[in-house]
């Protein structure tokens, strides 16, 4: 009889703990409006969930203005001019190439075209046809093909391989048009992952990027995927790549945050250990990322990427005040890891924000103390 009572107690306990113990890739239980942990974003000046911008990790008004013109008029020229005026080796150009390619891919997905309908993203096809020697247009087209392969095909299938091989050719054409430009090679990093480049092939490609932009954070993040356990490397290789990048990072570089991204890429699918986020490996990576964001230029285009990932880890680590400090700097834009892995990035971000507010206030924090 005692055994029976013990089993019943364990069963009841499992019903209580199961929602807490579920951890899939960092997902946690939803906090709905009216829940005790929910907080009014307006108390802290936060943007309401429905108004969060899921397109970018941080503000780039020039890009938004040009995207609006291009999509409204279907005229590519504003995009061409913006890229032509953006520093070739800088982080911003890579982000803008991705944004234009993503906009064209999304348009095509929403309007695939037909007998009486022009397919979405037609402006990109016109751009390539009318300006075949425009390096910006060539880079956007290559990235567009890569995104199409991942969006519409399954890795390993003939369709996926065909699109990726076309993307590889497009990368080569873009590289010829702008010899000092790292972006075509950055695009090819995704091709390398999809087409299973051998490690020597990948390293040869990586050296081309280092020759052109040795401290490019976006390039390092793209390369990290290749070395991850789920693709063509291992946890050890990914950690080694990230730690080497952090070790050679110059003062003010966000490369010091690379180990945190490596940790994120190898989070356990199911984590039942509450202390994991207070472990030495996580704590060390978080400290490195915090040092990076505090040392970096405040106009660094990659700063928001690091801050968003810090929010995730700081909330998980129950470091509420530090999480709030990052939230007030990134709130409003949620187009970054880890939120973009969710089907609803705005809702995922708002959930972590609500948890941060609840933890902050439970430990004596208030809007007045945060904003003072």
């Amino acid at each position: 009889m005692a055994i029976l009572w013990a089993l019943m107690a364990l069963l009841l306990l499992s019903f209580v703990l199961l929602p807490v113990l579920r951890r899939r890739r960092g997902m946690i239980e939803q906090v709905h409006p009216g829940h005790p942990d929910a907080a009014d974003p307006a108390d802290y000046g936060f943007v309401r969930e429905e108004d969060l911008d899921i397109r970018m990790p941080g503000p780039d008004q020039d890009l938004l203005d040009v995207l609006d013109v291009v999509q409204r008029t279907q005229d590519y020229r504003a995009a061409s001019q913006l890229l032509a005026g953006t520093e070739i080796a800088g982080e911003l150009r890579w982000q803008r190439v991705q944004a234009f390619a993503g906009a064209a891919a999304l348009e095509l997905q929403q309007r695939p075209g037909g007998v009486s309908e022009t397919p979405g993203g037609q402006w990109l096809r016109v751009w390539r046809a009318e300006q075949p020697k425009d390096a910006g247009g060539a880079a956007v087209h290559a990235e567009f093909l890569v995104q199409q392969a991942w969006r519409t095909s399954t890795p390993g299938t003939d369709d996926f391989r065909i699109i990726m091989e076309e993307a590889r050719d497009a990368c080569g054409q873009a590289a010829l048009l702008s010899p000092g430009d790292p972006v075509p090679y950055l695009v090819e990093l995704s091709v390398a992952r999809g087409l299973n480049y051998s490690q020597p092939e990948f390293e040869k490609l990586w050296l081309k990027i280092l020759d052109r932009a040795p401290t490019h954070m976006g390039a390092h993040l793209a390369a990290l995927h290749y070395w991850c356990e789920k693709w063509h490397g291992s946890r050890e290789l990914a950690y080694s790549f990230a730690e080497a990048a952090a070790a050679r990072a110059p003062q003010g570089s966000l490369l010091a945050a690379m180990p945190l991204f490596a940790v994120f890429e190898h989070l356990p699918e199911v984590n039942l250990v509450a202390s994991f986020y207070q472990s030495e490996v996580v704590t060390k990576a978080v400290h490195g990322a915090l040092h990076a964001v505090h040392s970096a230029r405040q106009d660094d285009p990659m700063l928001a990427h690091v801050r968003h990932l810090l929010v995730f880890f700081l909330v998980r680590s129950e470091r509420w005040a530090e999480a709030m400090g990052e939230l007030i700097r990134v709130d409003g834009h949620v187009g970054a890891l880890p939120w973009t892995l969710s089907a609803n990035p705005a809702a995922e971000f708002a959930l972590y924000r609500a948890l941060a507010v609840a933890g902050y206030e439970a430990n004596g924090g208030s809007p007045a103390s945060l904003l003072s």
Side-chain angles (χ1 to χ4, degrees), residues 263-281:
V263 171
F264 179 75
E265 291 296 335
H266 293 87
L267 288 178
E269 284 295 308
V270 179
N271 173 35
L272 300 180
V273 182
S275 62
F276 172 77
Y277 291 92
Q278 288 88 33
S279 66
E280 182 180 357
V281 65

Side-chain angles (χ1 to χ4, degrees), residues 161-208:
R161 178 181 54 79
I162 290 169
I163 301 174
M164 277 298 190
E165 287 179 350
E166 185 181 355
R168 179 167 57 187
D169 291 341
C171 289
Q173 295 169 19
L176 288 174
L177 292 171
S178 185
D181 188 350
V183 169
Y185 301 104
L186 265 71
V187 178
E188 193 179 348
L189 289 174
S190 188
V191 175
R193 184 159 49 97
L195 291 182
N196 303 322
Y197 279 26
S198 67
Q199 290 188 7
E201 287 177 309
F202 186 86
E203 287 170 346
K204 183 178 179 181
L205 170 62
W206 181 239
L207 286 175
K208 293 178 180 178

Side-chain angles (χ1 to χ4, degrees), residues 11-305:
L11 181 61
L12 289 171
L13 185 61
S14 71
F15 281 113
V16 174
L17 292 180
L18 187 58
V20 177
L21 296 178
R22 267 191 200 137
R23 298 289 191 273
R24 289 196 54 81
R25 192 73 183 161
M27 297 293 289
I28 51 183
E29 285 297 301
Q30 180 66 52
V31 179
H32 298 285
H35 187 281
D37 285 345
D40 187 349
D43 291 346
Y44 291 84
F46 289 145
V47 175
R48 293 193 176 276
E49 180 183 326
E50 59 270 23
D51 296 323
L52 291 169
D53 190 327
I54 66 173
R55 296 170 295 179
M56 299 184 301
D60 183 351
Q61 195 58 49
D62 289 341
L63 174 61
L64 290 179
D65 291 344
V66 169
L67 270 175
D68 178 65
V69 170
V70 170
Q71 295 187 305
R72 180 163 38 83
T73 66
Q74 290 296 293
D75 187 335
Y76 68 86
R77 285 176 293 183
S80 177
Q81 291 169 3
L82 182 65
L83 288 182
T86 305
E87 181 190 358
I88 283 181
E91 304 280 358
L92 199 58
R93 188 165 187 273
W94 170 230
Q95 292 189 21
R96 287 172 172 177
V97 164
Q98 289 180 297
F100 287 129
L106 183 58
E107 280 186 36
L108 182 59
Q109 179 182 343
Q110 294 172 340
R111 300 195 313 276
V115 177
S116 59
E117 183 185 36
T118 301
Q122 181 68 17
W123 53 269
L124 178 55
R125 285 180 283 277
V126 174
W127 188 356
R128 292 298 294 130
E130 292 186 356
Q131 301 288 340
K133 294 186 178 182
D134 185 329
V140 172
H141 179 240
E143 173 66 13
F144 167 80
L145 290 171
V146 165
Q147 293 195 25
Q148 279 295 97
W150 292 110
R151 285 171 183 261
T152 64
S153 307
T154 302
T157 63
D158 288 343
D159 287 346
F160 182 84
R161 178 181 54 79
I162 290 169
I163 301 174
M164 277 298 190
E165 287 179 350
E166 185 181 355
R168 179 167 57 187
D169 291 341
C171 289
Q173 295 169 19
L176 288 174
L177 292 171
S178 185
D181 188 350
V183 169
Y185 301 104
L186 265 71
V187 178
E188 193 179 348
L189 289 174
S190 188
V191 175
R193 184 159 49 97
L195 291 182
N196 303 322
Y197 279 26
S198 67
Q199 290 188 7
E201 287 177 309
F202 186 86
E203 287 170 346
K204 183 178 179 181
L205 170 62
W206 181 239
L207 286 175
K208 293 178 180 178
I209 294 172
L210 291 183
D211 284 344
R212 291 162 175 80
T215 60
H216 199 291
M217 180 72 172
H220 281 79
L221 291 178
L224 177 64
H225 288 298
Y226 178 90
W227 294 113
C228 285
E229 190 173 60
K230 61 187 174 185
W231 287 106
H232 307 298
S234 64
R235 181 190 300 266
E236 291 72 23
L237 285 172
Y239 278 26
S240 176
F241 175 80
E243 288 165 1
R248 66 172 181 269
Q251 178 64 28
S253 170
L254 288 169
L255 288 177
M258 284 297 299
L260 189 65
F261 287 86
V263 171
F264 179 75
E265 291 296 335
H266 293 87
L267 288 178
E269 284 295 308
V270 179
N271 173 35
L272 300 180
V273 182
S275 62
F276 172 77
Y277 291 92
Q278 288 88 33
S279 66
E280 182 180 357
V281 65
V282 173
T283 300
K284 183 179 177 181
V286 167
H287 285 169
L290 285 169
H291 172 74
V293 299
H294 293 151
S295 303
R297 296 189 341 264
Q298 293 309 295
D299 62 347
D300 190 314
M302 294 300 295
L303 187 57
H305 287 273

